[in-house]
Amino acid sequence: MTIPLPTTPRISIIVPARNEAKNLEIVLPLLPDVHEIIVVDGHSVDGTAEVARRVRPGVEVITQTRKGKGNALVCGFEHATGDIIVMFDADGSADPDEIPRFVDALVQGADVSKGSRYMAGGASEDITFHRNLGNRGLNLLTNILLGTRHSDLCYGYNAFWRRILPSLELPAAHIPGAEGQMVWGDGFEIETLLTCRMAENRLHVVEVPSVELPRIHGESNLNAVTDGLRVLRTVLDERMKRWGRKRAVGPAGFTATPAAPAPAERAESIGR
């Protein structure tokens, strides 16, 4: 499939995948021809890496260093060489035809294009009642605490300019976890962590409508309760850290640690 994309920026599509061989067989051929497609294998046992190379010649396959979706994404981010990074799920829930919409928002001036299932033109064919309720509640709390105006917090279809990565200070891929375990930011809280860091750095975030499709094969690795609690902890921790940095500003304008930018984040939306 050939999808028209802006020709100036180089696009890197990052696809975290853990035991997603059956889904990748369908999803990878649908992705547009871009600068690079990086599949980050989460120590799969179903031949995910082999299937990726077979169905999409030229795809780069790397193995994540720890566990969790967050670590897989960071491994992909650090390996990417394109100008724009697109986060793309391997389970078939993301529509490849929407990629030009995300890229166009960036080319038009955004630092980040954030997918939303709740704005006009967006929808979900997969979210459950309890996940929907939890997402809306967490989204409201996050907007209050961070001064943002997002309509969809826990959605992983996003794109951004690679140049903003240093300012996000994500947990580096090379950091060893205790006995091979995850470090904070390695789990599904990664989308929330990105949102918090983008808000603190006052990045220009544009929401774009996105339709979440049903997973094709298998079951999601997400747990609504435990991962929801990780998201909540992420928001509260990031808010407290920001307050701590603000209190570190001395009366003469000197700081013990770098002062956080003003909390207001520029945000806007675009329709179909």
Side-chain angles (χ1 to χ4, degrees):
M1 172 182 291
T2 301
I3 301 175
L5 291 171
T7 56
T8 302
R10 298 173 302 167
I11 315 298
S12 298
I13 301 177
I14 310 300
V15 187
R18 180 173 179 270
N19 296 326
E20 298 283 7
K22 290 183 178 179
N23 290 324
L24 289 180
E25 201 157 16
I26 299 171
V27 169
L28 285 183
L30 299 178
L31 291 177
D33 293 327
V34 294
H35 172 63
E36 61 188 0
I37 299 171
I38 302 173
V39 172
V40 186
D41 180 30
H43 309 282
S44 301
V45 296
D46 68 343
T48 284
E50 292 76 15
V51 167
R53 294 187 180 100
R54 173 171 58 80
V55 302
R56 188 70 188 231
V59 69
E60 293 189 63
V61 179
I62 63 175
T63 303
Q64 70 177 100
T65 55
R66 294 186 297 274
K67 299 178 181 179
K69 182 180 181 181
N71 171 249
L73 284 169
V74 170
C75 288
F77 297 165
E78 292 184 359
H79 191 80
T81 59
D83 305 300
I84 288 175
I85 290 176
V86 178
M87 299 162 52
F88 196 88
D89 285 346
D91 59 7
S93 62
D95 184 353
D97 289 345
E98 294 179 353
I99 290 177
R101 184 184 309 158
F102 285 85
V103 172
D104 185 61
L106 297 175
V107 172
Q108 295 302 316
D111 296 312
V112 181
S113 49
K114 182 172 174 57
S116 173
R117 299 163 291 184
Y118 295 107
M119 65 183 297
S124 177
E125 300 175 13
D126 185 58
I127 196 168
T128 64
F129 172 80
H130 291 99
R131 281 179 55 209
N132 178 52
L133 189 64
N135 188 40
R136 287 181 180 274
L138 289 169
N139 188 75
L140 176 62
L141 176 64
T142 301
N143 283 337
I144 293 172
L145 291 177
L146 300 184
T148 52
R149 298 191 300 272
H150 300 310
S151 63
D152 197 350
L153 173 67
C154 303
Y155 190 44
Y157 202 172
N158 305 294
F160 54 87
W161 293 99
R162 186 166 63 92
R163 58 177 169 74
I164 74 170
L165 276 173
S167 68
L168 302 180
E169 298 181 337
L170 300 174
H174 69 272
I175 299 174
E179 298 182 359
Q181 298 303 307
M182 295 189 295
V183 301
W184 191 251
D186 279 356
F188 281 100
E189 72 275 7
I190 184 64
E191 285 95 0
T192 306
L193 186 61
L194 286 168
T195 297
C196 293
R197 301 287 169 84
M198 291 167 182
E200 180 165 357
N201 285 280
R202 301 174 64 188
L203 297 179
H204 184 188
V205 179
V206 171
E207 287 193 324
V208 299
S210 179
V211 176
E212 182 182 33
L213 304 172
R215 163 181 275 272
I216 302 172
H217 295 292
E219 296 182 359
S220 173
N221 294 313
L222 184 147
N223 183 292
V225 176
T226 58
D227 289 308
L229 290 174
R230 289 177 72 89
V231 168
L232 177 60
R233 177 185 164 186
T234 301
V235 175
L236 295 177
D237 281 358
E238 289 296 306
R239 177 69 268 190
M240 292 301 295
K241 288 176 183 176
R242 182 186 294 182
W243 282 340
R245 283 189 285 269
K246 285 184 176 180
R247 286 196 298 270
V249 179
F254 296 102
T255 59
T257 57
E265 174 188 353
R266 294 184 293 154
E268 57 188 89
S269 302
I270 62 174
R272 284 190 179 275

